[in-house]
Amino acid sequence: MASKPEIGFCGLGAMGFGMATHLVTQGYTVTGFDVWAPSLDKFKAAGGIPSTSLSESAKDKQFYICMVATAQQATSAIFSDDGILKGLPKGATLVLCSTVPSAYAKTVERDLKFVGREDVFFIDAPVSGGAIRAADGTLSIMAGASPAAIEKGKWLLEELSAPEKLFIVEGGIGAGSNMKMVHQVLAAIQILSLSEAFGFAAALGLNGKDAREAVIASEGWSWMFENRSVRTLAEDYFPGASAVTIILKDTGIITQTSRQHLFPTHLVNTAEQVYLQALTRDYGSNDDAGLVRLWTSTPVSSIDASSLSASDKESKLALVISLLKAIHLVAAVESISFAKHVGLPLQQLYILAKDAAGGSKMFEKYAPELIALLEGGSGEGEPVKLASFTEELSKAVDKAQEVKCPLYLGGTTLSLLLAAKGAEDGAGLKELLSVYVGR
């Protein structure tokens, strides 16, 4: 662009602050609004222009980004008497980067027309990647909008996203939020699976550091495990980098949308119940890497495993890895089949998720065959024998029962494998998909 336009920004939380200050470092004049005064002071120190008025932050801004926490906050920010629309000039582009239900994004589009602001180019563009990538301008962004709105705002999305991490999702408003939602199916399950794995390892007498090293080098790896386990071992929960309430909000979007679409999200439903349980322990504002405390009050990095023989240690670590492998396999099925159900491009989901926060060895390895099966192909690729997953997970569940360790995701996963006739030699991904999409 010949000259850099001024940009308005609402929501200077961890992610929003990183996004807004990244734009400042790229030479844009950014006026930022937040309800918390210290955030405004910090933004001013970083070179931004602070504003205590939403309408003033939007005045004369042809481009505006809204990055608040919830749909309710977005409604207030956009449509209130002193809201963004009051200051936004004619023909401006409004980008909603919050994680919200697809149905909500569509109501914003509808309500813009209802209040006479159909001139606004609206983009539904949730983001993923965390505060560090936000500040680096290397987020993954999933954008849905009209072709005209995408044309107007694509340059701004490119400024905030990593190369090849801007995903323009076909389907208009709501499609971006749906893509974020099915990615969060993976994230929501895998955030809990790492604490379940650490809790199981602790019950087996394994040291957390040994468990982390073994899992990361195995097919039980996930991005969430490698990322969150650093904070689990350090007990860096207060407040930590990602509160339990954040992932609970996302699971709520998933389960609510799944009910609207009459689609089963078995593992996310289980995860949501555990996240709700964490609230009863007052863990909501703590980092989600601290959910392991639902299993053990002993720091997992301090568990003495010196009495275990090498072979005993190896066999117990294998049980932990088997637990994660099975959970992550079924998580991949749940996410991809839900994406198919809501009409998303599956290959785009694969490219997005395999290198993002929802990535896992199981997803990367088996998603191509799952996609081929759902798109009417033969599913030729890496063969899956559910019997081996079922046998290995059964051993882990039996051992957990013996040592009185709850496996919430593990138990649900085993039930799904058995429902797919996973104990039979011939059962594979086709049978597992049938649990979600019917026979």
Side-chain angles (χ1 to χ4, degrees):
M1 305 182 72
S3 60
K4 294 191 173 185
E6 295 185 11
I7 299 169
F9 203 104
C10 170
L12 299 173
M15 288 281 283
F17 184 84
M19 294 166 68
T21 54
H22 169 72
L23 291 171
V24 170
T25 64
Q26 297 305 301
Y28 294 93
T29 299
V30 183
T31 301
F33 170 89
D34 199 274
V35 295
W36 200 45
S39 291
L40 293 176
D41 294 340
K42 187 179 176 183
F43 186 56
K44 182 178 181 180
I49 300 173
S51 176
T52 57
S53 165
L54 275 166
S55 61
E56 284 299 314
S57 72
K59 186 177 180 181
D60 299 325
K61 306 298 189 302
Q62 284 294 326
F63 297 91
Y64 199 100
I65 297 172
C66 183
M67 185 55 180
V68 294
T70 66
Q72 292 80 1
Q73 290 177 6
T75 294
S76 177
I78 297 169
F79 295 102
S80 67
D81 290 342
D82 188 46
I84 295 166
L85 286 183
K86 185 176 180 180
L88 210 62
K90 185 176 178 62
T93 300
L94 173 63
V95 184
L96 179 61
C97 290
S98 307
T99 299
V100 297
S102 172
Y104 172 75
K106 292 177 181 178
T107 67
V108 173
E109 181 182 41
R110 180 201 66 197
D111 290 346
L112 285 170
K113 295 177 182 178
F114 181 77
V115 300
R117 291 306 306 267
E118 60 268 23
D119 62 283
V120 172
F121 292 90
F122 177 54
I123 302 176
D124 163 37
V127 304
S128 178
I132 294 175
R133 285 178 57 190
D136 290 342
T138 57
L139 290 168
S140 296
I141 301 181
M142 296 134 273
S146 68
I150 292 296
E151 183 178 356
K152 286 271 291 183
K154 188 176 180 181
W155 69 269
L156 180 55
L157 301 176
E158 290 174 339
E159 285 280 13
L160 297 166
S161 58
E164 301 180 355
K165 293 298 181 183
L166 172 58
F167 298 90
I168 306 300
V169 187
E170 292 184 6
I173 295 297
S177 286
N178 268 341
M179 184 64 82
K180 176 66 184 288
M181 177 189 69
V182 296
H183 173 269
Q184 291 306 97
V185 168
L186 298 165
I189 295 166
Q190 286 156 201
I191 283 173
L192 183 60
S193 72
L194 79 97
S195 281
E196 184 160 304
F198 272 123
F200 184 34
L204 296 175
L206 294 166
N207 183 275
K209 294 177 183 176
D210 293 333
R212 181 180 192 272
E213 183 179 333
V215 168
I216 287 176
S218 76
E219 289 197 322
W221 176 89
S222 70
W223 187 95
M224 284 296 183
F225 189 97
E226 183 166 355
N227 176 268
R228 296 302 203 271
S229 58
V230 174
R231 302 202 290 273
T232 302
L233 294 181
E235 294 188 278
D236 181 15
Y237 312 145
F238 315 106
S242 188
V244 172
T245 50
I246 295 174
I247 193 61
L248 179 59
K249 182 199 77 169
D250 291 355
T251 60
I253 290 172
I254 295 163
T255 57
Q256 181 184 46
T257 305
S258 74
R259 290 191 292 272
Q260 292 170 347
H261 284 269
L262 304 179
F263 186 87
T265 49
H266 302 286
L267 289 182
V268 177
N269 288 346
T270 297
E272 182 177 42
Q273 297 309 305
V274 182
Y275 293 141
L276 288 169
Q277 181 188 349
L279 295 190
T280 69
R281 305 282 189 92
D282 294 325
Y283 293 168
S285 62
N286 298 167
D287 194 275
D288 56 39
L291 289 167
V292 69
R293 292 172 293 166
L294 295 172
W295 282 265
T296 176
S297 59
T298 303
V300 296
S301 59
S302 67
I303 293 173
D304 183 6
S306 60
S307 62
L308 296 178
S309 67
S311 61
D312 193 20
K313 179 178 175 181
E314 183 179 356
S315 64
K316 288 181 174 180
L317 287 170
L319 292 174
V320 175
I321 291 168
S322 294
L323 170 69
L324 288 170
K325 284 174 57 180
I327 292 171
H328 298 167
L329 174 66
V330 179
V333 175
E334 187 157 304
S335 173
I336 294 170
S337 56
F338 196 14
K340 174 68 173 179
H341 190 77
V342 297
L344 293 172
L346 302 186
Q347 190 61 34
Q348 195 174 44
L349 170 62
Y350 175 67
I351 295 169
L352 163 66
K354 71 182 180 70
D355 296 321
S360 72
K361 290 289 187 184
M362 292 293 98
F363 184 88
E364 183 173 4
K365 186 174 183 178
Y366 295 119
E369 184 180 2
L370 286 166
I371 291 170
L373 287 166
L374 284 169
E375 292 183 339
S378 64
E380 293 179 3
E382 184 74 35
V384 177
K385 295 183 178 179
L386 291 190
S388 63
F389 281 91
T390 306
E391 181 182 357
E392 292 176 7
L393 181 57
S394 293
K395 290 177 182 177
V397 171
D398 287 346
K399 188 64 177 179
Q401 189 176 57
E402 178 186 324
V403 298
K404 304 296 186 288
C405 176
L407 296 183
Y408 304 102
L409 291 173
T412 302
T413 298
L414 181 57
S415 294
L416 292 169
L417 289 172
L418 292 172
K421 300 182 179 179
E424 297 181 2
D425 288 339
L429 287 182
K430 186 176 181 180
E431 286 72 26
L432 187 52
L433 277 170
S434 71
V435 175
Y436 287 91
V437 300
R439 290 171 172 78

